[in-house]
Amino acid sequence: MGTGKGIQQLALILLSSAILAACASSNSADAPAGIDQTIPGATKWGHYDGEPVTKWNPDGRTMTLLTELRYTDPHGEVWVAPIGSLVDGASIPRYLWSVMGGPFEGKYRNASVLHDVAYGEHKRHWKDCDRMFYYAMRCSGVGATESKTMYYALYKFGRHWKFPIKRGKPVKYEGALVARGEEIPRAIPVNPTEINQARNWISNTDPSLEQIEERAQTEAW
Protein backbone atom coordinates (compact mmCIF):
# COMPACT_ATOMS: atom_id res chain seq x y z
CA MET A 1 0.00 0.00 0.00
CA GLY A 2 2.77 2.40 0.94
CA THR A 3 4.55 1.70 -2.34
CA GLY A 4 1.34 2.36 -4.31
CA LYS A 5 0.82 5.76 -2.64
CA GLY A 6 4.44 6.66 -3.30
CA ILE A 7 4.06 5.89 -7.01
CA GLN A 8 0.86 7.99 -7.17
CA GLN A 9 2.58 10.95 -5.52
CA LEU A 10 5.55 10.69 -7.88
CA ALA A 11 3.20 10.58 -10.86
CA LEU A 12 1.40 13.73 -9.67
CA ILE A 13 4.71 15.57 -9.20
CA LEU A 14 5.86 14.63 -12.70
CA LEU A 15 2.50 15.67 -14.20
CA SER A 16 2.61 19.06 -12.45
CA SER A 17 6.17 19.66 -13.66
CA ALA A 18 5.17 18.86 -17.23
CA ILE A 19 2.24 21.31 -17.10
CA LEU A 20 4.44 24.11 -15.73
CA ALA A 21 7.08 23.48 -18.37
CA ALA A 22 4.45 23.60 -21.11
CA CYS A 23 3.10 26.92 -19.85
CA ALA A 24 6.58 28.44 -19.68
CA SER A 25 7.31 27.28 -23.21
CA SER A 26 4.07 28.77 -24.50
CA ASN A 27 4.72 32.14 -22.85
CA SER A 28 8.25 32.40 -24.19
CA ALA A 29 7.10 31.49 -27.70
CA ASP A 30 4.62 34.38 -27.70
CA ALA A 31 7.16 36.97 -26.51
CA PRO A 32 9.24 38.96 -29.00
CA ALA A 33 12.88 37.87 -28.96
CA GLY A 34 15.01 39.46 -26.27
CA ILE A 35 12.09 41.01 -24.41
CA ASP A 36 11.89 40.86 -20.62
CA GLN A 37 8.39 39.86 -19.58
CA THR A 38 9.03 40.45 -15.85
CA ILE A 39 8.37 44.21 -15.97
CA PRO A 40 5.59 44.95 -13.44
CA GLY A 41 2.28 45.60 -15.21
CA ALA A 42 3.76 44.89 -18.64
CA THR A 43 2.07 43.01 -21.43
CA LYS A 44 3.76 41.41 -24.41
CA TRP A 45 4.01 44.86 -26.03
CA GLY A 46 4.62 47.02 -22.95
CA HIS A 47 2.09 49.27 -21.21
CA TYR A 48 0.80 52.86 -21.05
CA ASP A 49 0.34 55.21 -18.12
CA GLY A 50 -2.11 58.03 -18.73
CA GLU A 51 -4.29 59.08 -21.65
CA PRO A 52 -3.46 61.93 -24.03
CA VAL A 53 -5.79 64.93 -23.78
CA THR A 54 -5.08 67.64 -26.37
CA LYS A 55 -6.37 70.99 -27.56
CA TRP A 56 -6.13 72.40 -31.06
CA ASN A 57 -3.94 75.47 -31.44
CA PRO A 58 -4.96 78.61 -33.40
CA ASP A 59 -2.77 77.57 -36.36
CA GLY A 60 -5.19 74.72 -37.05
CA ARG A 61 -2.33 72.26 -37.59
CA THR A 62 -0.83 71.54 -34.19
CA MET A 63 -2.21 70.33 -30.89
CA THR A 64 -0.89 70.87 -27.38
CA LEU A 65 -0.80 67.97 -24.94
CA LEU A 66 -2.71 68.81 -21.76
CA THR A 67 -1.85 65.57 -19.93
CA GLU A 68 1.30 63.48 -19.73
CA LEU A 69 1.44 60.24 -21.70
CA ARG A 70 3.95 57.66 -20.53
CA TYR A 71 4.77 54.36 -22.25
CA THR A 72 7.05 51.58 -21.06
CA ASP A 73 8.17 49.45 -24.00
CA PRO A 74 8.75 45.68 -23.78
CA HIS A 75 12.45 46.24 -22.98
CA GLY A 76 11.64 48.45 -19.99
CA GLU A 77 12.57 51.74 -21.72
CA VAL A 78 10.26 54.58 -20.66
CA TRP A 79 9.01 57.08 -23.27
CA VAL A 80 7.29 60.26 -22.10
CA ALA A 81 5.23 62.85 -23.93
CA PRO A 82 5.12 65.64 -21.30
CA ILE A 83 2.40 68.20 -20.73
CA GLY A 84 2.80 71.09 -23.17
CA SER A 85 4.20 68.99 -26.02
CA LEU A 86 3.24 70.12 -29.53
CA VAL A 87 2.15 67.36 -31.88
CA ASP A 88 1.00 67.44 -35.50
CA GLY A 89 1.60 63.97 -36.94
CA ALA A 90 4.49 65.24 -39.07
CA SER A 91 6.81 62.44 -37.91
CA ILE A 92 4.71 60.03 -39.98
CA PRO A 93 4.82 60.27 -43.82
CA ARG A 94 1.56 61.90 -44.91
CA TYR A 95 0.83 59.20 -47.48
CA LEU A 96 0.34 56.76 -44.63
CA TRP A 97 -2.52 58.86 -43.31
CA SER A 98 -4.61 57.59 -46.21
CA VAL A 99 -3.64 54.03 -45.29
CA MET A 100 -4.24 54.15 -41.55
CA GLY A 101 -6.47 57.20 -41.17
CA GLY A 102 -5.27 60.32 -39.39
CA PRO A 103 -2.33 59.76 -37.02
CA PHE A 104 -4.42 60.79 -34.02
CA GLU A 105 -7.44 58.64 -34.84
CA GLY A 106 -8.40 55.41 -33.13
CA LYS A 107 -5.74 52.92 -32.10
CA TYR A 108 -2.84 54.90 -33.61
CA ARG A 109 -3.31 57.93 -31.36
CA ASN A 110 -1.05 57.11 -28.39
CA ALA A 111 1.78 55.78 -30.55
CA SER A 112 1.60 58.81 -32.84
CA VAL A 113 1.79 61.27 -29.94
CA LEU A 114 4.85 59.52 -28.49
CA HIS A 115 6.52 59.27 -31.91
CA ASP A 116 5.96 62.96 -32.66
CA VAL A 117 7.51 63.96 -29.33
CA ALA A 118 10.45 61.56 -29.69
CA TYR A 119 11.17 62.81 -33.22
CA GLY A 120 11.00 66.40 -32.03
CA GLU A 121 13.40 65.85 -29.13
CA HIS A 122 16.11 63.90 -31.03
CA LYS A 123 17.28 62.51 -27.70
CA ARG A 124 17.37 58.92 -28.94
CA HIS A 125 18.42 57.28 -32.16
CA TRP A 126 15.69 57.43 -34.80
CA LYS A 127 15.80 53.63 -35.07
CA ASP A 128 14.92 53.36 -31.38
CA CYS A 129 12.05 55.82 -31.90
CA ASP A 130 10.65 53.83 -34.83
CA ARG A 131 10.91 50.57 -32.91
CA MET A 132 9.07 52.20 -30.02
CA PHE A 133 6.36 53.30 -32.45
CA TYR A 134 5.92 49.73 -33.66
CA TYR A 135 5.69 48.32 -30.13
CA ALA A 136 3.36 51.14 -29.01
CA MET A 137 1.03 50.45 -31.95
CA ARG A 138 0.90 46.76 -31.08
CA CYS A 139 0.27 47.68 -27.43
CA SER A 140 -2.71 49.76 -28.61
CA GLY A 141 -4.16 46.86 -30.57
CA VAL A 142 -3.02 47.72 -34.10
CA GLY A 143 -2.62 44.54 -36.18
CA ALA A 144 0.71 43.06 -37.25
CA THR A 145 0.39 43.84 -40.97
CA GLU A 146 -0.56 47.49 -40.41
CA SER A 147 2.11 48.02 -37.75
CA LYS A 148 4.86 46.42 -39.80
CA THR A 149 3.85 48.35 -42.92
CA MET A 150 4.12 51.55 -40.92
CA TYR A 151 7.50 50.46 -39.60
CA TYR A 152 8.76 49.75 -43.13
CA ALA A 153 7.58 53.16 -44.37
CA LEU A 154 9.17 54.99 -41.44
CA TYR A 155 12.44 53.10 -41.78
CA LYS A 156 12.69 53.95 -45.47
CA PHE A 157 11.00 57.33 -45.81
CA GLY A 158 11.07 58.78 -42.29
CA ARG A 159 12.53 62.13 -41.28
CA HIS A 160 15.76 60.80 -39.79
CA TRP A 161 18.78 62.45 -38.19
CA LYS A 162 22.45 61.82 -37.57
CA PHE A 163 23.05 60.48 -34.11
CA PRO A 164 26.67 59.64 -33.19
CA ILE A 165 25.73 58.38 -29.74
CA LYS A 166 23.12 56.05 -28.33
CA ARG A 167 20.18 57.07 -26.15
CA GLY A 168 21.16 60.71 -25.81
CA LYS A 169 24.15 60.48 -23.47
CA PRO A 170 26.32 63.59 -24.02
CA VAL A 171 29.71 62.81 -25.56
CA LYS A 172 32.39 64.76 -27.34
CA TYR A 173 31.66 64.74 -31.06
CA GLU A 174 33.59 66.84 -33.59
CA GLY A 175 35.01 68.99 -30.79
CA ALA A 176 31.76 69.62 -28.90
CA LEU A 177 29.49 67.89 -26.42
CA VAL A 178 26.54 66.47 -28.30
CA ALA A 179 23.29 65.08 -26.91
CA ARG A 180 20.91 65.79 -29.78
CA GLY A 181 20.77 64.59 -33.33
CA GLU A 182 21.15 66.60 -36.53
CA GLU A 183 18.45 66.09 -39.15
CA ILE A 184 19.40 64.45 -42.44
CA PRO A 185 17.66 65.93 -45.49
CA ARG A 186 15.66 63.09 -47.03
CA ALA A 187 16.49 62.60 -50.71
CA ILE A 188 13.97 59.76 -51.14
CA PRO A 189 10.32 60.83 -51.57
CA VAL A 190 7.58 58.54 -50.34
CA ASN A 191 6.78 55.96 -53.01
CA PRO A 192 3.20 54.63 -52.57
CA THR A 193 3.84 51.72 -54.96
CA GLU A 194 6.74 50.45 -52.85
CA ILE A 195 4.71 50.80 -49.66
CA ASN A 196 1.83 48.83 -51.16
CA GLN A 197 4.23 46.15 -52.42
CA ALA A 198 5.82 45.95 -48.97
CA ARG A 199 2.38 45.68 -47.38
CA ASN A 200 1.52 42.69 -49.57
CA TRP A 201 4.87 41.07 -48.77
CA ILE A 202 4.36 41.63 -45.05
CA SER A 203 0.82 40.25 -45.19
CA ASN A 204 1.97 37.10 -47.01
CA THR A 205 5.22 36.35 -45.14
CA ASP A 206 4.97 38.05 -41.70
CA PRO A 207 8.66 39.07 -41.70
CA SER A 208 10.64 40.07 -38.62
CA LEU A 209 11.55 43.73 -38.05
CA GLU A 210 15.13 42.88 -39.03
CA GLN A 211 13.93 41.49 -42.35
CA ILE A 212 11.85 44.61 -42.93
CA GLU A 213 14.89 46.79 -42.24
CA GLU A 214 17.00 44.76 -44.65
CA ARG A 215 14.42 45.16 -47.42
CA ALA A 216 14.07 48.90 -46.80
CA GLN A 217 17.85 49.41 -46.83
CA THR A 218 18.34 47.36 -49.98
CA GLU A 219 15.65 49.28 -51.87
CA ALA A 220 16.72 52.67 -50.52
CA TRP A 221 20.39 52.48 -51.35
Side-chain angles (χ1 to χ4, degrees):
M1 292 293 290
T3 302
K5 288 184 179 179
I7 293 174
Q8 287 180 341
Q9 290 176 347
L10 178 60
L12 287 173
I13 292 172
L14 292 174
L15 180 60
S16 298
S17 299
I19 291 172
L20 290 173
C23 291
S25 176
S26 174
N27 290 337
S28 62
D30 289 340
I35 288 178
D36 183 0
Q37 292 296 296
T38 64
I39 302 166
T43 66
K44 177 179 178 179
W45 302 109
H47 64 95
Y48 289 103
D49 293 301
E51 282 291 329
V53 176
T54 61
K55 70 171 182 178
W56 283 103
N57 294 317
D59 60 16
R61 296 183 299 101
T62 62
M63 292 183 291
T64 298
L65 198 61
L66 301 179
T67 56
E68 179 184 88
L69 176 63
R70 184 179 295 262
Y71 170 64
T72 303
D73 70 22
H75 297 283
E77 289 289 330
V78 178
W79 302 76
V80 179
I83 295 174
S85 298
L86 292 179
V87 294
D88 60 3
S91 66
I92 302 168
R94 186 169 288 272
Y95 170 76
L96 292 178
W97 295 17
S98 63
V99 176
M100 70 175 191
F104 303 118
E105 296 176 6
K107 295 178 180 179
Y108 297 96
R109 180 187 60 174
N110 289 6
S112 296
V113 168
L114 290 161
H115 194 254
D116 258 17
V117 172
Y119 259 46
E121 291 177 337
H122 291 182
K123 291 181 179 179
R124 288 173 161 112
H125 197 291
W126 62 264
K127 292 182 180 180
D128 291 340
C129 297
D130 288 353
R131 286 246 175 174
M132 175 277 294
F133 185 56
Y134 170 76
Y135 292 134
M137 283 191 291
R138 299 304 305 273
C139 186
S140 295
V142 181
T145 297
E146 289 76 11
S147 298
K148 288 184 176 181
T149 301
M150 292 285 289
Y151 184 74
Y152 163 85
L154 283 171
Y155 197 93
K156 182 168 183 180
F157 302 112
R159 179 166 47 88
H160 300 156
W161 56 90
K162 296 178 182 177
F163 205 72
I165 53 179
K166 192 169 183 178
R167 306 203 186 286
K169 295 178 181 178
V171 297
K172 200 165 188 178
Y173 178 68
E174 295 185 351
L177 285 176
V178 178
R180 289 171 58 87
E182 175 187 349
E183 285 199 28
I184 304 172
R186 299 299 290 169
I188 304 174
V190 173
N191 186 322
T193 299
E194 290 184 1
I195 293 178
N196 290 334
Q197 289 174 345
R199 182 187 179 90
N200 291 334
W201 168 67
I202 289 167
S203 178
N204 292 330
T205 65
D206 190 24
S208 66
L209 296 187
E210 289 77 15
Q211 289 171 322
I212 292 172
E213 292 168 1
E214 182 178 0
R215 175 176 177 135
Q217 286 180 314
T218 301
E219 292 175 341
W221 314 113

